[in-house]
Amino acid sequence: MAEPPLEPARGAPVPPGAQGRPAGAPQEPSRWRPPRLTFRRLSGLDRSGPPPPQTQAGAPLNPWTIPNVIGFARLALIPVFLVVALSSDDGQDALAAVLFAVIGWGDYADGIAARVTRQYSRLGALMDPVTDRLLVVSGVVVCWHFQLLPRWALAVLAAREVVMLLLGRYAQTRGVELRINWPGRLAVAPVMGGLFFPMAGLPKLGEVLLYVGLALALLATALYIRDGWRELRAQERVD
């Protein structure tokens, strides 16, 4: 359940040539220098600084990169997961659970691959959150079908994912950058775990994690809406 890129840290150095560039305009790739690859940067804990210009609106899609190959594989495995899980007797199938985990952890794998190889792309930035939301919805379908989790909570989670997809699309058409907040980042693990553990035979643990992840995800959505609305108002005042 990947979220939008993190906004630059307050006080982060401004790259040469960035001064005077309109807000939201992509940086020139020739002027952008990737940050030093520390453990925190490699693991994704440190997302400070401006996002890579190759991932911003207006950049070429650049589909054929190592991270995107991982992304294509994740996307292709989602229907395989659904077929395996829905073909089981009770939804608690080892192969289905492993497939779900592999697809979910693949999000971290393609992020690490991008940071190691410096192969950032606009397609990857667009594809990853869509794949993550499809995976969450697929997990909801399986848990709903076999009644592994409370259906009201699954319905709220599915609705939240659909709303985020629509919000992301609307924000793109209006030139608004939805930047990640920490509730959204923290929600990923409990939401994925909440769907994984019931399929692995631990429904009670999954239910607890689902409630935690759902609370964080809904808080994150409210903050995205607030921040997006403020940016739209700021654009209207400029216009």
Side-chain angles (χ1 to χ4, degrees), residues 2 15 18 21 30 50 55 78 86 93 125 132 169 186 207 228 230:
R21 190 172 56 246
S30 60
T55 66
I78 290 178
L86 294 175
D93 182 88
D132 289 339
R169 178 58 183 163
L186 295 174
E207 186 173 349
R230 287 177 177 175

Side-chain angles (χ1 to χ4, degrees), residues 7 35 37 40 48 57-58 62 64 70 97 127 129 146 162 171 180 188 206 212-213 217 239:
E7 63 182 337
L37 197 60
R40 286 177 57 81
S48 61
N62 192 22
W64 302 116
I70 298 173
M127 180 170 57
F146 293 104
V162 172
I180 193 170
V188 176
V212 173
D239 294 341

Side-chain angles (χ1 to χ4, degrees), residues 61-72 114 117 119-121 123-124:
L61 292 178
N62 192 22
W64 302 116
T65 66
I66 293 174
N68 285 345
V69 169
I70 298 173
F72 295 146
T117 63
Q119 292 182 340
Y120 303 103
S121 71
L123 180 62

Side-chain angles (χ1 to χ4, degrees), residues 93-198:
D93 182 88
L95 179 57
V98 168
L99 284 170
F100 186 88
V102 167
I103 301 167
W105 281 103
D107 183 40
Y108 293 97
D110 68 21
I112 290 173
R115 289 185 281 276
V116 169
T117 63
R118 312 294 191 189
Q119 292 182 340
Y120 303 103
S121 71
R122 179 61 178 163
L123 180 62
L126 295 172
M127 180 170 57
D128 280 356
V130 173
T131 302
D132 289 339
R133 298 195 196 290
L134 287 175
L135 178 61
V136 170
V137 171
S138 299
V140 167
V141 168
V142 172
C143 292
W144 180 287
H145 180 75
F146 293 104
Q147 299 188 42
L148 300 177
L149 290 166
R151 285 184 165 175
W152 70 265
L154 293 171
V156 172
L157 178 59
R160 188 264 176 182
E161 296 304 304
V162 172
V163 166
M164 285 302 302
L165 277 174
L166 296 176
L167 279 177
R169 178 58 183 163
Y170 178 75
Q172 286 179 359
T173 61
R174 299 297 299 270
V176 173
E177 188 80 21
L178 290 179
R179 303 187 186 277
I180 193 170
N181 49 56
W182 277 106
R185 181 175 297 283
L186 295 174
V188 176
V191 166
M192 291 297 188
L195 296 171
F196 166 80
F197 283 109

Side-chain angles (χ1 to χ4, degrees), residues 83-95:
V83 169
V84 171
L86 294 175
S87 299
S88 64
D89 294 330
D90 57 3
Q92 296 180 338
D93 182 88
L95 179 57

